[in-house]
Amino acid sequence: LGEPDEKGRPRPVKVEGASFEIECDTVLVAIGNGSNPLISNTTPELSVDKKGHILLEDAAANKTFMEKVYAGGDIVLGAATVILAMGEGRRAAAGINEFLKK
Ligand SMILES: Cc1cc2nc3c(=O)[nH]c(=O)nc-3n(C[C@H](O)[C@H](O)[C@H](O)COP(=O)(O)OP(=O)(O)OC[C@H]3O[C@@H](n4cnc5c(N)ncnc54)[C@H](O)[C@@H]3O)c2cc1C
């Protein structure tokens, strides 16, 4: 990182000669934000939309249509943010707590 700018934020600075090439046969791109179809494919009781996002029966408690299963974060919202995923986790935890109290 370079020196902080007028707002105090340091910016990345290109280091000449620091990049290099690697010879390879296959490259797997291991980033992305599509939902993993494994769970929805193997668990038909979970309702999902066309993009594989899990649908909620009770959004206030992040409860899915499957009994005793709660979900939140990107698998419900699609590509979102860490803050939103944390909020969903918190809501699901509260929903699970309410269920257990009964
Ligand atoms: C390249 C990139 C950059 C991003 N940058 C930002 C950013 O700067 N700020 C920000 O707020 N958000 C950013 N995001 C979004 C953020 O990462 C997500 O919104 C957040 O991580 C969602 O959290 P999650 O817990 O819902 O899902 P995830 O973090 O994806 O966690 C799901 C977990 O479940 C695991 N899993 C999947 N299938 C199975 C299975 N069958 N069995 C067991 N485990 C399984 C996965 O390995 C993963 O660990 C970025 C996303 C990407 C892809």
Side-chain angles (χ1 to χ4, degrees):
L1 293 173
E3 290 300 313
D5 61 18
E6 64 282 357
K7 290 181 181 165
R9 185 173 184 176
R11 302 272 169 195
V13 179
K14 185 176 179 185
V15 178
E16 291 301 335
S19 62
F20 52 90
E21 293 181 7
I22 301 173
E23 209 172 300
C24 48
D25 300 319
T26 305
V27 176
L28 299 181
V29 180
I31 63 166
N33 40 34
S35 51
N36 185 336
L38 186 65
I39 296 174
S40 54
N41 285 347
T42 56
T43 317
E45 303 95 309
L46 279 173
S47 300
V48 297
D49 68 12
K50 275 188 272 180
K51 290 184 172 172
H53 302 142
I54 295 175
L55 298 170
L56 299 177
E57 182 184 32
D58 178 1
N62 278 68
K63 187 192 170 305
T64 69
F65 283 88
M66 189 174 169
E67 203 54 35
K68 299 180 188 172
V69 175
Y70 294 72
D74 283 8
I75 195 66
V76 170
L77 301 170
T81 66
V82 170
I83 292 290
L84 282 172
M86 289 168 69
E88 295 255 297
R90 189 182 169 92
R91 210 163 36 241
I96 292 166
N97 189 41
E98 284 305 311
F99 172 79
L100 291 175
K101 281 199 291 189
K102 289 177 197 159

